[in-house]
Amino acid sequence: MHRQKNFKLVVFAGAFLSMNAGYINAIALLSMFHLAVSHVSGTVTRIGMAVLPWNENHFFEGLGLLGCFFLGAMISGLVIGHHQFKLGRRYGVVLMIQSLLLGVATYSLNHQLIQAVYLTSMACGLQNAMATSYSGAVIRSTHMTGVVTDLGLLIGHWLRDRKMEQWKLVLLGFLLLGFITGSFLGDACFQLMQNDALWLSSITSGIVGLTYFLYRQRHKIRRFLGLPELLNPTKE
């Protein structure tokens, strides 16, 4: 098993994030707009298909989803400043921004405003760019194409050489399981709460983000006072 520090935390955090993305995407698909928001491959296809014959609504809806996902990723990059996972970076701030976006999206969804899917797409772009790599493994929490591809590669390499980095299998497996679980929960909660089910994701992201933010501030105070470190933060 992988010996690097914080591996269990990375697995837990990755599973939580992928579950959150699956949950959000399921609700977006089940809502009145029926649009996927956690990935952009289908969105780009939708844009291309809207050209001939010209479909103005599909074209600009797709363009809006693509642009908002991109904007979310850009904001995440500005806030965190690095793609490699490491404790001490501003993940809590990003999760609180995501919580705000999802809260406004829920309000918009309840008022049948198309802005709801744009905001959820931005929230997914924001989350997907939080930490895109760990010890050489690519981490994507809002879409499973890369995860399934890497799982297939691992199994293929094992069948060829009988060698496998088992820690990658564990990490990728939990990412996939988290997304499937989140999709199931999103469907179940939507049947019970309809659009208001998205509040659960907003509240959960906010609580987790605030908790991490306060923990990080506690560390900064301890460092200022010369006390032992609680985590190993990066310079800001």
Side-chain angles (χ1 to χ4, degrees):
M1 189 56 66
H2 195 44
R3 295 180 179 179
Q4 186 162 333
K5 289 180 61 177
N6 306 318
F7 174 68
K8 291 182 179 179
L9 178 60
V10 171
V11 172
F12 176 80
F16 164 74
L17 291 174
S18 62
M19 184 170 63
N20 191 41
Y23 184 92
I24 294 169
N25 199 48
I27 292 174
L29 285 168
L30 290 167
S31 72
M32 63 174 293
F33 299 109
H34 305 295
L35 292 170
V37 297
S38 69
H39 49 84
V40 297
S41 297
T43 299
V44 174
T45 302
R46 183 182 179 88
I47 294 172
M49 292 175 62
V51 176
L52 289 176
W54 175 246
N55 187 320
E56 182 177 356
N57 289 336
H58 286 182
F59 182 83
F60 286 107
E61 281 176 2
L63 205 61
L65 288 169
L66 178 63
C68 286
F69 194 97
F70 173 85
L71 182 59
M74 186 177 70
I75 292 171
S76 186
L78 286 171
V79 173
I80 297 174
H82 206 284
H83 61 84
Q84 182 77 17
F85 173 82
K86 190 172 183 179
L87 283 174
R89 296 194 168 116
R90 298 187 183 93
Y91 303 124
V93 175
V94 170
L95 285 172
M96 286 189 286
I97 295 173
Q98 183 187 50
S99 174
L100 178 62
L101 290 172
L102 292 174
V104 178
T106 308
Y107 174 85
S108 301
L109 202 57
N110 281 326
H111 288 78
Q112 301 181 357
L113 300 175
I114 189 63
Q115 286 83 355
V117 290
Y118 298 148
L119 290 167
T120 51
S121 181
M122 187 182 299
C124 286
L126 190 81
Q127 175 183 303
N128 201 45
M130 279 178 61
T132 59
S133 65
Y134 170 75
S135 190
V138 177
I139 300 175
R140 291 285 187 255
S141 64
T142 67
H143 58 89
M144 294 295 106
T145 304
V147 171
V148 175
T149 299
D150 289 344
L151 281 170
L153 279 171
L154 283 173
I155 299 299
H157 291 165
W158 179 79
L159 290 173
R160 178 183 175 88
D161 300 322
R162 302 300 178 184
K163 296 179 181 179
M164 180 188 295
E165 295 179 282
Q166 294 184 7
W167 69 270
K168 285 187 179 181
L169 185 67
V170 172
L171 176 59
L172 295 169
F174 271 93
L175 288 174
L176 181 59
L177 180 61
F179 197 92
I180 294 172
T181 302
S183 300
F184 166 76
L185 292 175
D187 181 31
C189 291
F190 187 86
Q191 303 309 320
L192 294 173
M193 304 170 63
Q194 296 299 301
N195 296 331
D196 284 330
L198 195 56
W199 279 119
L200 296 180
S201 180
S202 173
I203 293 169
T204 302
S205 297
I207 291 174
V208 173
L210 180 60
T211 300
Y212 180 84
F213 175 81
L214 294 175
Y215 183 73
R216 185 170 174 269
Q217 296 309 306
R218 180 188 173 195
H219 160 76
K220 292 172 72 174
I221 293 173
R222 290 175 66 90
R223 184 174 57 180
F224 176 77
L225 296 175
L227 298 174
E229 294 188 356
L230 296 171
L231 47 78
N232 184 24
T234 57
K235 294 181 180 179
E236 300 183 333

